[in-house]
Amino acid sequence: MSANRRTIRLNQLLREELASLLQADIKDPRVRSVTITRVEATQDLSYADVYVRTLTDEIPVEEAIAGLESAEGFVRRRLGRELHLRRIPDFRFHADRALEHVQRIESLLDEALGQQEEDAGD
């Protein structure tokens, strides 16, 4: 199996396992509404960037990330027991802003199309 396919599979496995741990084992209320959108591990597994969103506006994503960071030791120990990997990466948590970017682009496109229609009507 190529390194690229292995990395893709590992990223998916880490995403699934992290999501499962969040749902079942982490009691911190700051992470209750967190969803993990993607994981991108380095080839040597020294780090994995974990992108998250909150499902509600009750808890800001920054607070959720703080909760995830405080639970990182617990998460790494549990993953070390569950997964048979030589190394469990250090996690770096980030807010996933992809949806916000898509909404901004759609808004700009709507604005541009509206302007184009106005210009065509003149």
Side-chain angles (χ1 to χ4, degrees):
M1 180 183 318
S2 74
N4 190 33
R5 284 181 44 201
R6 189 175 317 125
T7 302
I8 291 170
R9 285 184 55 214
L10 178 63
N11 289 341
Q12 181 65 24
L13 176 65
L14 287 171
R15 190 185 72 74
E16 290 170 2
E17 291 295 326
L18 284 167
S20 176
L21 277 173
L22 285 180
Q23 200 170 52
D25 298 320
I26 297 178
K27 305 300 183 214
D28 189 328
R30 296 176 292 179
V31 301
R32 206 168 271 145
S33 68
V34 168
T35 186
I36 297 173
T37 57
R38 72 182 191 276
V39 175
E40 295 175 358
T42 58
Q43 286 287 334
D44 65 355
L45 283 184
S46 56
Y47 293 98
D49 291 308
V50 180
Y51 294 87
V52 300
R53 290 185 48 223
T54 53
L55 299 176
T56 66
D57 291 334
E58 290 176 28
I59 297 173
V61 72
E62 292 78 15
E63 273 188 50
I65 288 173
L68 290 167
E69 288 170 345
S70 72
E72 182 182 7
F74 169 79
V75 168
R76 290 186 71 229
R77 281 190 301 278
R78 287 294 298 269
L79 289 177
R81 278 189 260 151
E82 300 291 324
L83 305 176
H84 302 289
L85 299 173
R86 265 187 241 148
R87 183 176 203 311
I88 300 297
D90 290 327
F91 296 111
R92 298 182 293 202
F93 298 99
H94 309 279
D96 186 345
R97 306 271 186 218
L99 185 59
E100 294 164 15
H101 291 300
V102 167
Q103 290 171 340
R104 175 75 175 132
I105 290 169
E106 286 178 348
S107 172
L108 290 170
L109 287 172
D110 288 345
E111 187 178 309
L113 289 173
Q115 185 64 41
Q116 187 178 17
E117 288 174 4
E118 284 179 24
D119 291 346
D122 289 343

Coordinates of all heavy atoms in Angstrom, one line a residue, residues 47-120:
Y47 N 2.6 14.7 14.5 CA 1.5 15.6 14.7 C 0.3 15.2 13.9 O 0.4 14.6 12.8 CB 1.8 17.1 14.4 CG 2.8 17.7 15.3 CD1 4.2 17.7 14.9 CD2 2.4 18.2 16.5 CE1 5.1 18.3 15.8 CE2 3.3 18.8 17.3 CZ 4.7 18.8 17.0 OH 5.6 19.4 17.8
A48 N -0.9 15.6 14.4 CA -2.1 15.4 13.6 C -2.9 16.7 13.8 O -3.2 17.1 14.9 CB -2.9 14.2 13.9
D49 N -3.2 17.4 12.7 CA -4.1 18.5 12.8 C -5.5 18.0 12.8 O -5.9 17.3 11.8 CB -3.8 19.5 11.6 CG -2.5 20.1 11.7 OD1 -2.2 20.7 12.8 OD2 -1.7 20.1 10.7
V50 N -6.3 18.4 13.8 CA -7.7 18.0 13.9 C -8.6 19.2 13.7 O -8.5 20.2 14.5 CB -7.9 17.4 15.3 CG1 -9.4 16.9 15.4 CG2 -7.0 16.2 15.5
Y51 N -9.5 19.2 12.7 CA -10.4 20.3 12.4 C -11.7 20.0 13.0 O -12.3 18.9 12.8 CB -10.4 20.5 10.9 CG -9.1 21.0 10.4 CD1 -8.1 20.0 10.0 CD2 -8.8 22.3 10.3 CE1 -6.9 20.5 9.5 CE2 -7.5 22.7 9.9 CZ -6.6 21.8 9.5 OH -5.4 22.2 9.0
V52 N -12.3 20.9 13.8 CA -13.5 20.7 14.5 C -14.5 21.9 14.2 O -14.1 23.0 13.9 CB -13.3 20.6 16.0 CG1 -12.4 19.4 16.3 CG2 -12.7 21.8 16.6
R53 N -15.8 21.5 14.4 CA -16.9 22.5 14.4 C -17.8 22.2 15.6 O -17.8 21.1 16.0 CB -17.7 22.4 13.1 CG -17.0 22.8 11.9 CD -17.8 22.8 10.6 NE -19.1 23.5 10.9 CZ -20.3 23.0 10.4 NH1 -20.3 21.9 9.7 NH2 -21.4 23.6 10.7
T54 N -18.5 23.2 16.0 CA -19.5 22.9 17.0 C -20.9 22.9 16.4 O -21.1 23.6 15.4 CB -19.5 24.0 18.1 OG1 -19.6 25.3 17.5 CG2 -18.2 24.0 19.0
L55 N -21.7 22.0 16.9 CA -23.0 21.8 16.2 C -24.0 22.9 16.7 O -25.0 23.1 16.0 CB -23.5 20.4 16.6 CG -22.7 19.3 16.1 CD1 -23.2 18.0 16.5 CD2 -22.6 19.3 14.5
T56 N -23.7 23.5 17.8 CA -24.6 24.6 18.2 C -23.8 25.8 18.5 O -22.6 25.8 18.6 CB -25.4 24.2 19.5 OG1 -24.4 24.1 20.6 CG2 -26.1 22.9 19.4
D57 N -24.5 27.0 18.7 CA -23.8 28.2 19.0 C -23.7 28.4 20.5 O -23.2 29.5 20.9 CB -24.6 29.4 18.4 CG -24.5 29.4 16.9 OD1 -23.5 28.8 16.3 OD2 -25.4 29.9 16.2
E58 N -24.1 27.5 21.3 CA -24.1 27.6 22.8 C -22.6 27.8 23.2 O -22.4 28.6 24.1 CB -24.7 26.4 23.4 CG -26.2 26.3 23.3 CD -26.7 25.0 23.9 OE1 -26.1 24.5 24.9 OE2 -27.8 24.5 23.4
I59 N -21.7 27.0 22.7 CA -20.3 27.0 23.1 C -19.5 27.5 21.9 O -19.5 26.8 20.9 CB -19.9 25.6 23.6 CG1 -20.7 25.2 24.8 CG2 -18.4 25.6 23.9 CD1 -20.5 23.9 25.3
P60 N -18.8 28.5 22.0 CA -17.9 29.0 20.9 C -16.8 27.9 20.6 O -16.4 27.2 21.5 CB -17.2 30.3 21.5 CG -18.0 30.7 22.7 CD -18.7 29.4 23.2
V61 N -16.5 27.8 19.4 CA -15.5 26.8 19.0 C -14.2 27.0 19.7 O -13.5 26.0 20.0 CB -15.4 26.8 17.4 CG1 -14.6 28.0 16.9 CG2 -14.7 25.5 16.9
E62 N -13.8 28.2 20.1 CA -12.6 28.4 20.8 C -12.6 27.7 22.2 O -11.6 27.2 22.6 CB -12.3 29.9 20.9 CG -12.0 30.6 19.6 CD -13.2 30.9 18.8 OE1 -14.3 30.9 19.3 OE2 -13.0 31.2 17.6
E63 N -13.8 27.8 22.8 CA -13.9 27.1 24.1 C -13.9 25.6 23.9 O -13.3 24.9 24.7 CB -15.3 27.5 24.8 CG -15.2 28.7 25.6 CD -16.5 28.9 26.4 OE1 -17.0 28.0 27.0 OE2 -17.0 30.1 26.3
A64 N -14.5 25.1 22.9 CA -14.5 23.7 22.6 C -13.1 23.2 22.3 O -12.6 22.1 22.8 CB -15.4 23.4 21.4
I65 N -12.3 24.0 21.6 CA -10.9 23.6 21.4 C -10.1 23.6 22.7 O -9.3 22.7 22.9 CB -10.2 24.6 20.3 CG1 -10.8 24.3 18.9 CG2 -8.7 24.5 20.4 CD1 -10.4 25.3 17.9
A66 N -10.4 24.6 23.6 CA -9.7 24.5 24.9 C -10.1 23.3 25.6 O -9.2 22.7 26.3 CB -10.1 25.8 25.7
G67 N -11.3 22.8 25.6 CA -11.7 21.6 26.2 C -11.0 20.4 25.6 O -10.6 19.5 26.3
L68 N -10.9 20.4 24.3 CA -10.2 19.3 23.6 C -8.7 19.3 24.0 O -8.1 18.2 24.2 CB -10.3 19.4 22.1 CG -11.7 19.2 21.5 CD1 -11.8 19.7 20.1 CD2 -12.1 17.7 21.6
E69 N -8.1 20.4 24.0 CA -6.7 20.5 24.4 C -6.5 20.0 25.8 O -5.5 19.3 26.1 CB -6.1 21.9 24.3 CG -6.0 22.3 22.8 CD -5.7 23.8 22.6 OE1 -5.9 24.6 23.6 OE2 -5.3 24.2 21.5
S70 N -7.4 20.3 26.7 CA -7.2 19.8 28.1 C -7.4 18.3 28.2 O -6.9 17.6 29.1 CB -8.2 20.5 29.1 OG -9.5 20.1 28.9
A71 N -8.1 17.7 27.3 CA -8.4 16.2 27.3 C -7.4 15.5 26.4 O -7.5 14.3 26.3 CB -9.8 16.0 26.8
E72 N -6.4 16.2 25.8 CA -5.5 15.5 24.9 C -4.7 14.3 25.5 O -4.6 13.3 24.9 CB -4.5 16.5 24.3 CG -3.6 15.8 23.2 CD -2.6 16.8 22.6 OE1 -2.5 17.9 23.1 OE2 -1.9 16.3 21.7
G73 N -4.2 14.5 26.7 CA -3.5 13.4 27.3 C -4.3 12.2 27.5 O -3.9 11.0 27.2
F74 N -5.6 12.3 28.0 CA -6.5 11.2 28.1 C -6.8 10.6 26.8 O -6.7 9.4 26.6 CB -7.8 11.7 28.7 CG -8.9 10.8 28.7 CD1 -9.0 9.7 29.6 CD2 -9.9 10.9 27.7 CE1 -10.0 8.8 29.5 CE2 -11.0 10.0 27.6 CZ -11.0 8.9 28.6
V75 N -7.0 11.4 25.8 CA -7.3 10.9 24.4 C -6.2 10.1 23.8 O -6.3 9.0 23.3 CB -7.7 12.1 23.5 CG1 -7.8 11.6 22.0 CG2 -9.0 12.7 23.9
R76 N -5.0 10.6 24.0 CA -3.8 9.9 23.4 C -3.6 8.6 24.2 O -3.2 7.6 23.5 CB -2.5 10.8 23.6 CG -2.6 12.0 22.6 CD -1.3 12.8 22.6 NE -0.3 12.0 21.9 CZ 0.9 11.8 22.4 NH1 1.3 12.4 23.5 NH2 1.8 11.1 21.8
R77 N -3.8 8.6 25.5 CA -3.6 7.3 26.2 C -4.6 6.3 25.7 O -4.3 5.1 25.5 CB -3.8 7.5 27.7 CG -2.5 8.1 28.4 CD -2.6 8.1 29.9 NE -3.7 8.8 30.4 CZ -3.7 10.1 30.6 NH1 -2.7 10.9 30.3 NH2 -4.8 10.7 31.1
R78 N -5.9 6.7 25.6 CA -7.0 5.8 25.2 C -6.7 5.3 23.7 O -6.9 4.1 23.4 CB -8.3 6.5 25.2 CG -8.9 6.7 26.6 CD -9.2 5.3 27.3 NE -10.2 4.6 26.6 CZ -11.5 4.6 26.9 NH1 -11.9 5.4 27.8 NH2 -12.3 3.9 26.2
L79 N -6.3 6.2 22.8 CA -6.0 5.8 21.5 C -4.8 4.8 21.5 O -4.8 3.9 20.7 CB -5.7 7.0 20.6 CG -6.9 7.8 20.3 CD1 -6.5 9.1 19.4 CD2 -8.0 7.1 19.5
G80 N -3.8 5.0 22.3 CA -2.7 4.1 22.4 C -3.1 2.7 22.8 O -2.5 1.8 22.3
R81 N -4.1 2.6 23.6 CA -4.6 1.3 24.0 C -5.5 0.6 22.9 O -5.5 -0.6 22.7 CB -5.4 1.4 25.3 CG -4.6 1.4 26.5 CD -5.4 1.2 27.8 NE -5.5 2.6 28.3 CZ -6.6 3.0 29.0 NH1 -7.6 2.2 29.3 NH2 -6.6 4.2 29.5
E82 N -6.3 1.5 22.2 CA -7.2 1.0 21.3 C -6.6 0.7 19.9 O -7.0 -0.3 19.3 CB -8.3 2.0 21.0 CG -9.1 2.3 22.3 CD -10.0 1.2 22.7 OE1 -10.5 0.5 21.9 OE2 -10.1 1.0 24.0
L83 N -5.7 1.5 19.5 CA -5.1 1.4 18.1 C -3.7 0.7 18.3 O -3.0 1.0 19.2 CB -5.0 2.7 17.5 CG -6.2 3.6 17.4 CD1 -5.9 4.9 16.8 CD2 -7.3 2.8 16.6
H84 N -3.4 0.0 17.3 CA -2.0 -0.7 17.3 C -1.1 0.1 16.4 O -0.8 -0.4 15.3 CB -2.2 -2.1 16.9 CG -3.1 -2.9 17.8 ND1 -2.8 -3.2 19.1 CD2 -4.4 -3.3 17.6 CE1 -3.8 -3.9 19.6 NE2 -4.8 -3.9 18.8
L85 N -0.7 1.3 16.9 CA 0.2 2.1 16.1 C 1.5 2.3 16.9 O 1.5 2.2 18.1 CB -0.4 3.5 15.9 CG -1.7 3.6 15.1 CD1 -2.3 5.0 15.2 CD2 -1.5 3.1 13.7
R86 N 2.6 2.4 16.2 CA 3.9 2.7 16.9 C 3.8 4.0 17.7 O 4.4 4.1 18.7 CB 5.0 2.8 15.8 CG 5.7 1.5 15.6 CD 6.9 1.7 14.7 NE 6.6 0.9 13.5 CZ 7.0 1.2 12.4 NH1 7.7 2.3 12.1 NH2 6.8 0.4 11.3
R87 N 3.1 4.9 17.2 CA 3.1 6.2 17.8 C 1.7 6.9 17.7 O 1.1 6.8 16.6 CB 4.2 7.1 17.1 CG 4.3 8.5 17.7 CD 5.5 9.2 17.0 NE 6.1 10.2 17.7 CZ 5.6 11.2 18.3 NH1 4.3 11.3 18.4 NH2 6.3 12.2 18.9
I88 N 1.3 7.5 18.7 CA 0.0 8.3 18.7 C 0.5 9.7 18.5 O 1.3 10.2 19.3 CB -0.8 8.1 19.9 CG1 -1.2 6.6 20.1 CG2 -2.0 9.0 19.9 CD1 -2.1 6.1 19.0
P89 N 0.0 10.4 17.5 CA 0.5 11.8 17.3 C 0.0 12.8 18.4 O -1.0 12.5 19.1 CB -0.2 12.2 15.9 CG -1.4 11.3 15.8 CD -1.0 10.0 16.6
D90 N 0.7 13.9 18.5 CA 0.3 15.0 19.3 C -0.8 15.7 18.4 O -0.6 15.8 17.2 CB 1.4 16.0 19.5 CG 2.4 15.4 20.5 OD1 2.1 14.7 21.4 OD2 3.6 15.8 20.4
F91 N -1.9 16.1 19.1 CA -2.9 16.7 18.3 C -2.9 18.2 18.4 O -2.6 18.8 19.4 CB -4.3 16.2 18.8 CG -4.5 14.8 18.6 CD1 -4.5 13.9 19.7 CD2 -4.7 14.2 17.4 CE1 -4.7 12.5 19.6 CE2 -4.8 12.9 17.2 CZ -4.8 12.0 18.3
R92 N -3.1 18.9 17.2 CA -3.3 20.3 17.2 C -4.7 20.6 16.7 O -5.1 20.1 15.6 CB -2.3 20.9 16.2 CG -0.8 20.7 16.7 CD 0.2 21.3 15.8 NE 0.2 20.6 14.5 CZ 1.2 20.7 13.6 NH1 2.3 21.3 13.9 NH2 1.1 20.1 12.5
F93 N -5.5 21.2 17.5 CA -6.9 21.4 17.2 C -7.1 22.8 16.5 O -6.6 23.8 17.0 CB -7.8 21.3 18.5 CG -7.7 19.9 19.1 CD1 -6.8 19.7 20.2 CD2 -8.4 18.9 18.6 CE1 -6.7 18.4 20.7 CE2 -8.3 17.6 19.2 CZ -7.5 17.4 20.2
H94 N -8.0 22.8 15.5 CA -8.2 24.0 14.7 C -9.7 24.1 14.5 O -10.4 23.1 14.3 CB -7.5 24.0 13.4 CG -6.1 23.7 13.4 ND1 -5.1 24.6 13.7 CD2 -5.4 22.5 13.2 CE1 -3.9 24.0 13.7 NE2 -4.1 22.8 13.4
A95 N -10.2 25.3 14.4 CA -11.6 25.5 14.0 C -11.7 25.3 12.5 O -10.9 25.8 11.7 CB -12.1 26.9 14.4
D96 N -12.7 24.5 12.1 CA -12.9 24.3 10.7 C -13.8 25.4 10.1 O -15.0 25.5 10.5 CB -13.6 22.9 10.4 CG -13.7 22.6 8.9 OD1 -13.5 23.5 8.1 OD2 -13.9 21.4 8.6
R97 N -13.3 26.3 9.3 CA -14.0 27.4 8.8 C -14.4 27.2 7.4 O -14.9 28.2 6.7 CB -13.1 28.7 8.9 CG -12.5 28.9 10.2 CD -13.4 29.8 11.0 NE -12.7 30.2 12.3 CZ -13.3 30.2 13.4 NH1 -14.6 30.0 13.5 NH2 -12.7 30.6 14.5
A98 N -14.4 26.0 6.9 CA -14.8 25.7 5.5 C -16.2 26.2 5.2 O -16.4 26.8 4.1 CB -14.6 24.3 5.1
L99 N -17.1 25.9 6.0 CA -18.5 26.2 5.8 C -18.7 27.7 5.7 O -19.4 28.2 4.9 CB -19.4 25.6 6.9 CG -20.9 25.8 6.7 CD1 -21.4 25.2 5.4 CD2 -21.7 25.2 7.9
E100 N -18.0 28.4 6.6 CA -18.1 29.9 6.6 C -17.5 30.5 5.3 O -18.0 31.4 4.7 CB -17.3 30.5 7.8 CG -17.9 30.2 9.1 CD -17.0 30.4 10.3 OE1 -16.0 31.1 10.1 OE2 -17.3 29.9 11.4
H101 N -16.4 29.8 4.8 CA -15.8 30.3 3.5 C -16.8 30.1 2.3 O -17.0 30.9 1.5 CB -14.5 29.6 3.2 CG -13.4 30.0 4.1 ND1 -13.0 31.3 4.3 CD2 -12.7 29.3 5.0 CE1 -12.0 31.3 5.2 NE2 -11.8 30.1 5.6
V102 N -17.5 28.9 2.4 CA -18.4 28.6 1.3 C -19.6 29.6 1.3 O -20.0 30.1 0.3 CB -19.0 27.2 1.5 CG1 -20.2 26.9 0.6 CG2 -17.9 26.1 1.1
Q103 N -20.1 29.9 2.5 CA -21.2 30.9 2.7 C -20.8 32.2 2.2 O -21.5 32.9 1.5 CB -21.7 30.9 4.1 CG -22.4 29.7 4.5 CD -22.7 29.6 6.0 OE1 -22.1 30.3 6.8 NE2 -23.7 28.8 6.4
R104 N -19.5 32.6 2.5 CA -19.0 33.9 2.0 C -18.9 34.0 0.5 O -19.3 35.0 -0.1 CB -17.7 34.2 2.7 CG -17.0 35.5 2.2 CD -17.6 36.7 2.8 NE -16.9 37.9 2.4 CZ -17.4 39.0 1.9 NH1 -18.7 39.1 1.8 NH2 -16.6 40.0 1.5
I105 N -18.4 32.9 -0.1 CA -18.3 32.9 -1.6 C -19.7 32.9 -2.2 O -19.9 33.7 -3.2 CB -17.5 31.6 -2.0 CG1 -16.1 31.7 -1.6 CG2 -17.7 31.4 -3.5 CD1 -15.3 30.5 -1.7
E106 N -20.7 32.2 -1.7 CA -22.0 32.2 -2.2 C -22.6 33.6 -2.1 O -23.3 34.1 -3.0 CB -22.9 31.2 -1.5 CG -22.6 29.8 -1.8 CD -23.5 28.8 -1.1 OE1 -24.1 29.2 -0.1 OE2 -23.5 27.6 -1.5
S107 N -22.4 34.3 -1.0 CA -22.8 35.6 -0.8 C -22.2 36.6 -1.8 O -23.0 37.4 -2.5 CB -22.5 36.1 0.6 OG -22.8 37.5 0.8
L108 N -20.9 36.5 -2.1 CA -20.3 37.3 -3.1 C -20.8 37.0 -4.5 O -21.0 37.9 -5.3 CB -18.8 37.1 -3.0 CG -18.1 37.6 -1.8 CD1 -16.6 37.2 -1.7 CD2 -18.2 39.2 -1.7
L109 N -21.0 35.7 -4.8 CA -21.6 35.4 -6.1 C -23.0 35.9 -6.3 O -23.3 36.4 -7.3 CB -21.6 33.8 -6.3 CG -20.2 33.2 -6.5 CD1 -20.3 31.7 -6.5 CD2 -19.6 33.7 -7.8
D110 N -23.8 35.8 -5.2 CA -25.2 36.3 -5.3 C -25.1 37.8 -5.5 O -25.9 38.4 -6.3 CB -26.0 36.0 -4.0 CG -26.3 34.6 -3.9 OD1 -26.3 33.8 -4.9 OD2 -26.7 34.2 -2.8
E111 N -24.2 38.5 -4.8 CA -24.1 39.9 -5.0 C -23.6 40.3 -6.4 O -24.2 41.2 -7.0 CB -23.1 40.4 -3.9 CG -22.9 41.9 -3.9 CD -21.9 42.3 -2.8 OE1 -22.1 41.8 -1.6 OE2 -21.0 43.1 -3.1
A112 N -22.7 39.6 -6.9 CA -22.2 39.8 -8.3 C -23.2 39.6 -9.3 O -23.4 40.4 -10.3 CB -20.9 39.0 -8.5
L113 N -24.0 38.5 -9.2 CA -25.0 38.2 -10.1 C -26.2 39.2 -10.1 O -26.7 39.6 -11.1 CB -25.6 36.8 -9.9 CG -24.7 35.6 -10.2 CD1 -25.3 34.3 -9.8 CD2 -24.4 35.6 -11.7
G114 N -26.5 39.7 -8.8 CA -27.5 40.7 -8.7 C -27.0 42.0 -9.4 O -27.8 42.7 -10.1
Q115 N -25.8 42.4 -9.2 CA -25.2 43.6 -9.9 C -25.3 43.4 -11.4 O -25.6 44.4 -12.1 CB -23.8 43.8 -9.4 CG -23.2 45.1 -9.9 CD -23.9 46.3 -9.4 OE1 -24.3 46.4 -8.3 NE2 -24.2 47.3 -10.3
Q116 N -24.9 42.2 -11.9 CA -24.9 42.0 -13.3 C -26.3 42.1 -13.9 O -26.5 42.7 -15.0 CB -24.4 40.5 -13.6 CG -24.1 40.2 -15.0 CD -23.5 38.8 -15.2 OE1 -23.6 38.0 -14.3 NE2 -23.0 38.6 -16.4
E117 N -27.3 41.6 -13.2 CA -28.7 41.7 -13.6 C -29.2 43.2 -13.7 O -29.9 43.6 -14.6 CB -29.6 40.9 -12.8 CG -29.5 39.4 -13.0 CD -30.3 38.6 -12.0 OE1 -31.0 39.1 -11.2 OE2 -30.2 37.3 -12.0
E118 N -28.7 44.0 -12.6 CA -29.1 45.4 -12.6 C -28.5 46.1 -13.8 O -29.1 46.9 -14.5 CB -28.6 46.0 -11.3 CG -29.4 45.7 -10.1 CD -28.9 46.4 -8.9 OE1 -28.1 47.4 -9.0 OE2 -29.2 45.8 -7.8
D119 N -27.2 45.8 -14.1 CA -26.5 46.4 -15.2 C -27.2 46.0 -16.6 O -27.3 46.8 -17.5 CB -25.0 46.0 -15.3 CG -24.2 46.6 -14.1 OD1 -24.8 47.5 -13.4 OD2 -23.1 46.1 -13.8
A120 N -27.6 44.8 -16.7 CA -28.3 44.3 -17.9 C -29.6 45.0 -18.1 O -30.1 45.2 -19.2 CB -28.4 42.8 -17.9

